[in-house]
Amino acid sequence: MSVLLDRNTKVIVQGMGREGTFHATRMREYGTKVVGGVVPGAGGTTREGFPIFDTVSRATLDTGANASIIFVPASGAMDAMLEALDAELDLVITITEGTPVQDMLKVASVLDRSGTTLIGPNCPGAITPGECKIGIMPAENFKPGAVGFVSRSGTLTYEIADLLSRAGLGQSTCLGIGGDPVIGLPTPAAVRLLNEDPATEVIVIVGEIGGSAEESAAEYMRANGKKPAVAFIAGRSAPPGKRMGHAGAIVSGNQGTAESKVKAFEAAGIPVANAPSEIPGLVKKALQS
């Protein structure tokens, strides 16, 4: 099994411009079933062999797609996400960076009443190594295995997956959920999916300063954890009030500090790496315990 995506997932690409077409081709080369693209006004044409549709509903009706990946500009991201939710897709991944918070709040209100899982925005996507990639991550960094992996950072997703793979620790499913203040699938919900996944034997949680998602995930694992976990918190040296990289990575007062997140994981019995390079060793130790 896997989480959210596997070799049977059928994907449409919303926004088949230069970036969308490039990554649609890379995903197809990986083995992902990319069944078409959506470009309003261009329905009936093809791009790099992909059939193009005017709307998401038309694309899903004609292809049987159950997932989408969104590459449209930030000004149109909200409408693209709402259209995908209206089509009742199982999984929607939004790569778009810079989506306004007020737009995401509108999307979140609809998402709460839907059966769709939304990952992102401003994320690298998700991958079940060897089966399906829906995202922009370098596929060569990922190998099939039993490490479930959730990360708020795209770059750290690539780096840590590569470290794990080089150490002989393949991954079951990797979820790059994004670092914006309002996202579809938050860290606690992603951890819950991996905790319930039979193919996952150990969970790696990569968080960062800002918000309280890591504290909530730690509390969930303390009460419900079925398998060992390892954590890492990025931004430990960030000064209060200064945003570091992601829009959601900011410490305000005593909220969202690295210290509070480390303490929460340690209280849950989850070891916290001081650097990404320590993660493979901690994972091996967790698997042997």
Side-chain angles (χ1 to χ4, degrees), residues 1-3 5-9 27 30-33 127-134 143-144 171-173 199:
M1 289 186 66
S2 57
V3 172
L5 68 167
D6 59 26
R7 57 175 53 89
N8 297 312
T9 303
M27 288 187 287
Y30 189 73
T32 302
K33 293 180 178 177
I127 181 170
T128 294
E131 295 193 32
C132 183
K133 177 183 100 159
I134 309 178
K143 305 296 181 186
Q171 305 92 49
S172 52
T173 296

Side-chain angles (χ1 to χ4, degrees), residues 10 12 35 51-53 55-65:
K10 293 183 177 180
I12 56 171
V35 295
I52 302 298
F53 303 88
T55 65
V56 174
S57 60
R58 185 75 254 174
T60 55
L61 187 65
D62 286 7
T63 66

Side-chain angles (χ1 to χ4, degrees), residues 10-14 34-38 56 59-60 63 65 67-69 89:
K10 293 183 177 180
V11 184
I12 56 171
V13 178
Q14 293 177 249
V34 182
V35 295
V38 176
V56 174
T60 55
T63 66
S68 82
I69 181 168
L89 295 170

